[in-house]
Amino acid sequence: MQSYTIGQASRLLGVSPDTVRRWADAGRVTTRRDENGRRLIEGRDLAAFAVEVGQGGPSGQGDEDLTYTSARNAFPGIVTAVKLGDVAAQVEIQAGPHRLVSLLTREAVEELGLEVGVEATARVKSTSVHIDRP
């Protein structure tokens, strides 16, 4: 399972690293330390937390106002749900306050290694959502 540093999590959530640290210190999101002493957040934990934040969950006292931008219709975020069928699949990405849903083939999901907690970018063109993976 993929883990995220505080900086990576802050970018995916659309907040400052200090905000993520405060949330972790307050117990809102669970972290662990790696061998270098860096705080890491497990992908599944970050995905669940991203959904809470995206749905307007409590932001905690003293957090800065959240602002979000989209450059060229790209929404970097974290995969929060994957539903696989025999041929088709549905992938949900939480990108800051934006929840994006893409319907694609099961084969594409498997080739991209998409699962809950994985970082991915949703690209929106008209009514189509395309997903990239770093």
Side-chain angles (χ1 to χ4, degrees), residues 40-55:
L40 297 177
I41 303 171
E42 294 301 321
R44 287 190 180 275
D45 293 337
L46 183 59
F49 187 67
V51 170
E52 176 189 330
V53 170
Q55 291 175 343

Side-chain angles (χ1 to χ4, degrees), residues 24-95:
D25 291 344
R28 292 198 51 214
V29 63
T30 303
T31 62
R32 67 173 173 82
R33 300 260 181 194
D34 69 5
E35 60 277 356
N36 297 317
R38 294 181 307 168
R39 284 184 176 184
L40 297 177
I41 303 171
E42 294 301 321
R44 287 190 180 275
D45 293 337
L46 183 59
F49 187 67
V51 170
E52 176 189 330
V53 170
Q55 291 175 343
S59 62
Q61 197 169 14
D63 292 336
E64 67 266 25
D65 291 335
L66 302 179
T67 58
Y68 302 90
T69 61
S70 172
R72 298 179 188 219
N73 300 324
F75 294 83
I78 188 166
V79 175
T80 58
V82 177
K83 297 175 187 168
L84 295 174
D86 291 336
V87 176
Q90 177 179 311
V91 177
E92 295 182 20
I93 293 178
Q94 190 72 40

Side-chain angles (χ1 to χ4, degrees), residues 1-12 20 29-32 34 38-47 77-79 115-120 133-134:
M1 172 52 59
Q2 186 167 350
S3 297
Y4 296 88
T5 64
I6 295 292
Q8 291 170 321
S10 72
R11 184 175 51 80
L12 293 170
V20 177
V29 63
T30 303
T31 62
R32 67 173 173 82
D34 69 5
R38 294 181 307 168
R39 284 184 176 184
L40 297 177
I41 303 171
E42 294 301 321
R44 287 190 180 275
D45 293 337
L46 183 59
I78 188 166
V79 175
E115 60 182 26
V116 172
V118 169
E119 181 178 0
R133 174 125 189 255

